[in-house]
């Protein structure tokens, strides 16, 4: 059983959280013996997305429980988190407990600020690639990659790239056939209409 936690915070980019939730949630719904997905925030309760969508966090940092995968979304709310010592300490603590840390969009900036991407390849939203390198010049910034898998840390580019990252992680955890099943179910076919 894989337990996946998706972090929520004020001004989180909605699709950064909801895209991976759709992938992992569809997996957990279709195969409840294989996965569970939880949404959590600093404290249980309402969270406001970057474009006004309201979320409800089921749990807080203190009661989220064991995680096998942490998804740290991005959005303008990450700018505040980059300077939040308590949050950065919490993220560092997750590195010790959670086997797989993932990020979507500017969530990787938080990992960089916490020192978790030191000497690693990583990516982020195209508009924040320079900032990623400024936060930690040892990072091998990969601006052309949709996601970067570096073993125990997987970062993805902006917004919709979180869906691709989540499908990749699903393939790692449950196999390519399972990932294809879920991709088919959510009818995800990344061929833009324009």
């Amino acid at each position: 059983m894989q337990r996946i936690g998706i972090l929520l915070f004020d001004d989180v980019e909605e699709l950064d959280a909801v895209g991976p939730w759709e992938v992992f949630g569809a997996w957990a719904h279709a195969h409840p013996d294989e996965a569970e997905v939880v949404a959590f925030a600093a404290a249980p309760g309402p969270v406001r997305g970057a474009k006004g969508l309201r979320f409800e966090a089921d749990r807080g940092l203190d009661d989220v429980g064991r995680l096998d995968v942490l998804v740290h979304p991005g959005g303008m709310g990450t700018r505040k988190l980059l300077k939040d010592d308590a949050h950065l300490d919490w993220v560092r603590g997750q590195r010790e407990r959670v086997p797989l840390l993932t990020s979507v969009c500017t969530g990787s900036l938080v990992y960089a600020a916490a020192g978790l991407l030191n000497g690693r390849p990583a990516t982020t939203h195209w508009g924040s690639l320079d900032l990623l390198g400024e936060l930690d010049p040892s990072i091998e910034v990969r601006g052309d990659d949709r996601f970067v898998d570096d073993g125990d840390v997987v970062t993805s580019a902006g917004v919709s790239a979180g869906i691709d990252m989540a499908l990749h992680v699903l393939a790692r955890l449950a196999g390519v056939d399972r990932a294809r099943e879920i991709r088919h179910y959510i009818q995800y076919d990344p061929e833009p209409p324009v």
Side-chain angles (χ1 to χ4, degrees), residues 15-101:
L15 191 56
D16 285 10
V18 175
W21 179 278
E22 183 64 29
V23 171
F24 295 129
W27 177 29
H29 182 74
H31 302 279
D33 58 321
E34 294 180 6
E36 176 188 8
V37 188
V38 295
F40 67 102
V47 177
R48 182 192 68 254
K51 295 177 185 67
L53 182 64
R54 299 283 180 181
F55 296 94
E56 185 75 24
D58 298 328
R59 295 174 176 85
L61 298 181
D62 295 334
D63 65 347
V64 67
R66 175 193 65 83
L67 296 176
D68 298 295
V69 179
L70 169 63
V71 179
H72 197 304
M76 290 309 295
T78 58
R79 300 321 187 270
K80 181 179 175 185
L81 297 177
L82 294 178
K83 299 176 176 97
D84 183 333
D85 290 335
H87 185 73
L88 295 176
D89 284 344
W90 178 83
V91 168
R92 287 183 200 103
Q94 298 314 294
R95 171 67 288 154
E96 303 298 318
R97 292 187 283 284
V98 180
L100 181 57
L101 299 182

Side-chain angles (χ1 to χ4, degrees), residues 48 61 81 112 116 122 127 141 153 156:
R48 182 192 68 254
L61 298 181
L81 297 177
L116 302 184
V141 178
V153 177
S156 72

Side-chain angles (χ1 to χ4, degrees), residues 159-174:
V159 197
S160 65
I163 297 170
D164 296 354
M165 178 275 295
L167 286 166
H168 170 76
V169 167
L170 174 52
R172 271 185 52 177
L173 298 174

Side-chain angles (χ1 to χ4, degrees), residues 6 12-20 71 73-75 104-107 157-160 162:
I6 300 179
V12 63
E13 187 66 36
E14 285 88 347
L15 191 56
D16 285 10
V18 175
V71 179
V104 182
C105 194
T106 56
V159 197
S160 65

